[in-house]
Amino acid sequence: VVLALGSVPNFFGIAGIEEFSYNIITPENARRFKRHLHEQLVTQHKPDLNYVIVGGGPTGIELAGALTSYLKEIMAAHGIRHKSVHIDLVEAAPKLVSRMPDRMSKAIAKRLQNLGVKLYLNQKVEGQTADALTISGRPIQSHTVVWNAGTTINPFFRNNNFTLTDRNKVAIDDYLQADDSVYVIGDNAATPYSG
């Protein structure tokens, strides 16, 4: 049996994040986010003041880079007069994609800023309400916060008593085997490259 169940969002116990934010970790969650954007623009004709993306890893930077053009496409497809949108990217680390070399991180930051993305680096998310995200004591007004700041293993592994490592990943051998004839692959497996 090969288990490739995918990880789930980790909200780190931050108040309001799970309740009020969006994420795109699963197709269902991505569709929910897409419906929200279309509802705001097509039905209400009211884009958000700020579209806030939390997490400056690969998913967060890709979303930040693509969101402006996607919002413009929605407006053009539905004959909505172009409205200015603001994309904010919040990252707790002092640089984007922290596992990459500094020069790559700086190039990504520069490219995003050239696209109009406002970066909040080295900023801690403290909570969220229906109307705002609070970072380092300051609120950012938004009804659209997309959480990409962390994942954790699928609850299946805890619920079925798999052995977990101190990194909270499923313990496996050199062949990705967790038990007799049970293999775990992907971000749930305790490999140097998972996550």
Side-chain angles (χ1 to χ4, degrees), residues 11 49 80 93 102 170:
F11 302 108
L49 292 174
I80 300 167
D102 284 347
V170 177

Side-chain angles (χ1 to χ4, degrees), residues 124-137:
K124 181 181 175 188
V125 173
E126 296 172 343
Q128 184 180 353
T129 66
D131 301 315
L133 178 75
T134 302
I135 61 166
S136 299

Side-chain angles (χ1 to χ4, degrees), residues 80-98:
I80 300 167
R81 201 172 119 234
H82 175 72
K83 298 180 182 190
S84 180
V85 297
H86 302 279
I87 310 294
D88 299 326
L89 178 59
V90 179
E91 170 54 46
K95 68 177 196 172
L96 298 175
V97 281
S98 59

Side-chain angles (χ1 to χ4, degrees), residues 50-193:
N50 300 293
Y51 293 89
V52 184
I53 299 159
V54 180
T59 303
I61 63 169
E62 289 175 25
L63 181 59
L67 190 55
T68 300
S69 61
Y70 182 65
L71 293 170
K72 287 178 184 176
E73 285 177 25
I74 295 171
M75 288 185 240
H78 294 281
I80 300 167
R81 201 172 119 234
H82 175 72
K83 298 180 182 190
S84 180
V85 297
H86 302 279
I87 310 294
D88 299 326
L89 178 59
V90 179
E91 170 54 46
K95 68 177 196 172
L96 298 175
V97 281
S98 59
R99 291 184 182 181
M100 286 192 167
D102 284 347
R103 69 177 180 77
M104 294 294 294
S105 180
K106 286 177 184 174
I108 292 166
K110 184 177 180 181
R111 175 71 177 136
L112 288 173
Q113 288 171 323
N114 288 342
L115 291 171
V117 177
K118 184 173 181 179
L119 302 178
Y120 292 88
L121 301 178
N122 213 21
Q123 301 290 313
K124 181 181 175 188
V125 173
E126 296 172 343
Q128 184 180 353
T129 66
D131 301 315
L133 178 75
T134 302
I135 61 166
S136 299
R138 294 185 324 258
I140 298 175
Q141 299 300 312
S142 181
H143 297 103
T144 310
V145 174
V146 186
W147 183 261
N148 296 298
T151 59
T152 189
I153 63 168
N154 193 294
F156 172 86
F157 295 106
R158 271 194 201 89
N159 296 341
N160 287 284
N161 300 315
F162 278 75
T163 302
L164 303 181
T165 67
D166 58 349
R167 284 184 46 223
N168 213 21
K169 302 284 184 175
V170 177
I172 54 168
D173 65 16
D174 290 342
Y175 303 99
L176 304 177
Q177 191 167 351
D179 203 354
D180 289 337
S181 300
V182 177
Y183 298 84
V184 178
I185 62 173
D187 285 345
N188 293 294
T191 73
Y193 308 105

